[in-house]
């Protein structure tokens, strides 16, 4: 009989356990005492849980639909080794988005209302249905991995026969709600800083999701190679980096044109808090990684490719938080900073997502080659 070995206690594992335990206590407080444990208020109802857990969570999970579009719609088969890890990351991301949304809702037990109470004039209604359906699609996309693990090849073959329509549905649903998240802010033009408000917000949200989706594939691949002692597919990741830089360039050029035709350059010249944050967001998340990834030497260097992907991911998070928090705070004059409970719950969700990814990879054939313990 094989002996049961407890995981080795390391510094980061101890930190992760502390984060989860603290987050669980904050979760207890949130559901036992309500939203009074947060810094949210009627004048500023959307904070960290929407800005990071939902807006960032959905975007960071975009690697699933981007890589599926490349491999199954455009039929570029060489990227297939990157598909299963990206789909797993996306699925876990969407599950955590739903959990984060439950934390934010004043009456979380009513989250099912969107299923039967239809409002075709509501952007939130469209986002709710797309997220529900796309989470289901991601589950169906990942099920073949589970079936392979238990050698249920007949069911696996049946799912493979209908896989293309499933992938197409997933891409359509992602396109709808990735852009619709930007549409949520179109109704508050007077409550947002002009630097971030634009009628093109749905387009910006969609393009940024595509660029960060590819960056997340690189980011996840590097962390997985380190954590599971597996070979890094640098030749594929280098090409993914090139695709990402093209989308980054299109998104940034569109923003610059928008600033010009909307006469908003003057707001940047003010060099106040909002303009400095906007410039920092552009430098970290777009300009610097764009010029880095235009170099073939950088894309073929493990270290610099990873750094560039981290900058894109970081800049994306910075942008979504700026749109949802900084722009609204600047436009309304209302100060908001997340409470300890908001931060601890968010960190807990991140750690739980990492634990779930590791557990699944250890027990299911997510990678082409076996994962070493």
């Amino acid at each position: 009989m094989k002996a049961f070995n407890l995981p080795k206690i390391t510094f980061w594992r101890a930190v992760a356990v502390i984060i989860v335990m603290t987050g669980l206590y904050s979760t207890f407080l949130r559901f036992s005492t309500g939203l009074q444990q947060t810094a949210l208020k009627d004048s500023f109802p959307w904070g960290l849980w929407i800005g990071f857990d939902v807006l960032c969570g959905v975007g960071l999970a975009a690697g699933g639909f981007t890589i599926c579009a490349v491999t199954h719609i455009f039929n570029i088969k060489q990227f297939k080794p990157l598909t299963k890890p990206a789909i797993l990351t996306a699925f876990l991301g969407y599950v955590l988005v739903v959990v984060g949304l439950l934390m934010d809702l004043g009456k979380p037990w009513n989250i099912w209302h969107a299923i039967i109470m239809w409002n075709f004039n509501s952007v939130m209604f469209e986002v709710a249905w797309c997220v529900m359906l796309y989470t289901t699609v991601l589950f169906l996309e990942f099920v073949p991995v589970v079936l392979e693990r238990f050698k249920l090849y007949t069911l696996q073959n049946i799912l493979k026969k209908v896989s293309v329509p499933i992938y197409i549905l997933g891409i359509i649903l992602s396109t709808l709600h990735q852009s619709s998240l930007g549409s949520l802010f179109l109704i508050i033009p007077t409550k947002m800083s002009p630097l971030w408000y634009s009628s093109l917000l749905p387009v910006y949200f969609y393009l940024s999701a595509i660029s960060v989706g590819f960056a997340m594939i690189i980011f996840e691949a590097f962390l997985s190679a380190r954590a599971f002692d597996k070979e890094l597919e640098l030749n594929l990741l280098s090409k993914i980096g090139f695709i990402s830089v093209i989308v980054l360039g299109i998104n940034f050029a569109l923003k610059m044109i928008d600033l010009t035709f909307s006469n908003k350059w003057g707001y940047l010249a003010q060099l106040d808090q909002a303009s400095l944050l906007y410039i920092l967001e552009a430098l970290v998340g777009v300009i610097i990684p764009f010029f880095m990834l235009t170099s073939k030497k950088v894309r073929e260097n493990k270290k610099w490719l990873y750094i560039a992907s981290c900058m894109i991911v970081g800049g994306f998070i910075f942008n979504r938080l700026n749109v949802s928090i900084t722009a609204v705070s600047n436009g309304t004059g209302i100060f908001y900073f997340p409470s300890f409970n908001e931060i601890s719950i968010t960190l807990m969700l991140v750690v739980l997502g990492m634990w779930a990814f590791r557990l699944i990879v250890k027990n299911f054939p997510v990678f082409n080659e076996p994962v070493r313990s």
Side-chain angles (χ1 to χ4, degrees), residues 161-319:
K161 291 179 181 179
V162 297
S163 62
V164 173
I166 291 175
Y167 288 129
I168 293 174
L169 178 61
I171 293 167
I172 293 173
L173 292 170
S174 293
T175 300
L176 289 172
H177 75 264
Q178 291 287 359
S179 58
S180 293
L181 287 173
S183 302
L184 291 173
F185 295 91
L186 293 180
I187 62 174
I188 53 171
T190 59
K191 294 184 178 181
M192 287 183 66
S193 166
L195 284 172
W196 285 282
Y197 181 82
S198 170
S199 60
L200 295 176
L201 272 173
V203 179
Y204 295 151
F205 266 58
Y206 181 60
L207 290 175
S208 63
I210 295 176
S211 61
V212 82
F214 287 120
M216 277 297 294
I217 292 171
I218 299 171
F219 181 76
E220 172 270 319
F222 271 80
L223 292 185
S224 296
R226 183 182 302 174
F228 304 118
D229 191 24
K230 60 182 288 294
E231 185 180 351
L232 189 68
E233 293 147 329
L234 185 59
N235 61 323
L236 297 180
L237 299 179
S238 176
K239 295 174 183 177
I240 289 291
F242 182 72
I243 299 173
S244 182
V245 79
I246 293 174
V247 183
L248 271 180
I250 295 172
N251 193 25
F252 185 69
L254 193 59
K255 283 189 176 183
M256 295 303 100
I257 294 171
D258 188 22
L259 285 176
T260 301
F261 281 91
S262 301
N263 296 317
K264 294 180 180 178
W265 285 101
Y267 294 106
L268 277 178
Q270 292 177 5
L271 296 180
D272 55 4
Q273 182 190 46
S275 61
L276 290 175
L277 287 174
Y278 188 93
I279 293 169
L280 184 61
E281 167 197 313
L283 282 173
V284 173
V286 181
I287 297 173
I288 295 176
F290 175 83
F291 284 106
M292 287 176 66
L293 292 175
T294 52
S295 169
K296 186 177 180 181
K297 289 184 179 180
V298 170
R299 294 197 306 272
E300 294 179 350
N301 183 288
K302 294 181 181 180
K303 175 183 175 182
W304 290 111
L305 181 62
Y306 176 66
I307 291 174
S309 70
C310 288
M311 294 185 74
I312 295 173
V313 172
F316 171 84
I317 294 173
F318 200 10
N319 169 258

Side-chain angles (χ1 to χ4, degrees), residues 14-85:
V15 170
V17 170
I18 293 171
I19 289 173
V20 171
M21 296 303 294
T22 306
L24 289 174
Y25 178 67
S26 295
T27 301
F28 168 75
L29 292 177
R30 182 263 173 269
F31 286 113
S32 61
T33 63
L35 292 174
Q36 64 188 39
Q37 298 292 332
T38 72
L40 302 172
K41 44 197 170 186
D42 290 342
S43 56
F44 207 105
W46 284 0
L48 182 66
W49 288 338
I50 293 296
F52 183 84
D53 298 9
V54 176
L55 298 185
C56 291
V58 167
L60 294 175
F65 92 89
T66 54
I67 198 65
C68 285
V70 169
T71 56
H72 293 91
I73 305 304
F74 296 105
N75 203 34
I76 306 177
K77 299 297 185 183
Q78 61 178 311
F79 293 108
K80 286 200 76 173
L82 304 174
T83 303
K84 288 190 286 187

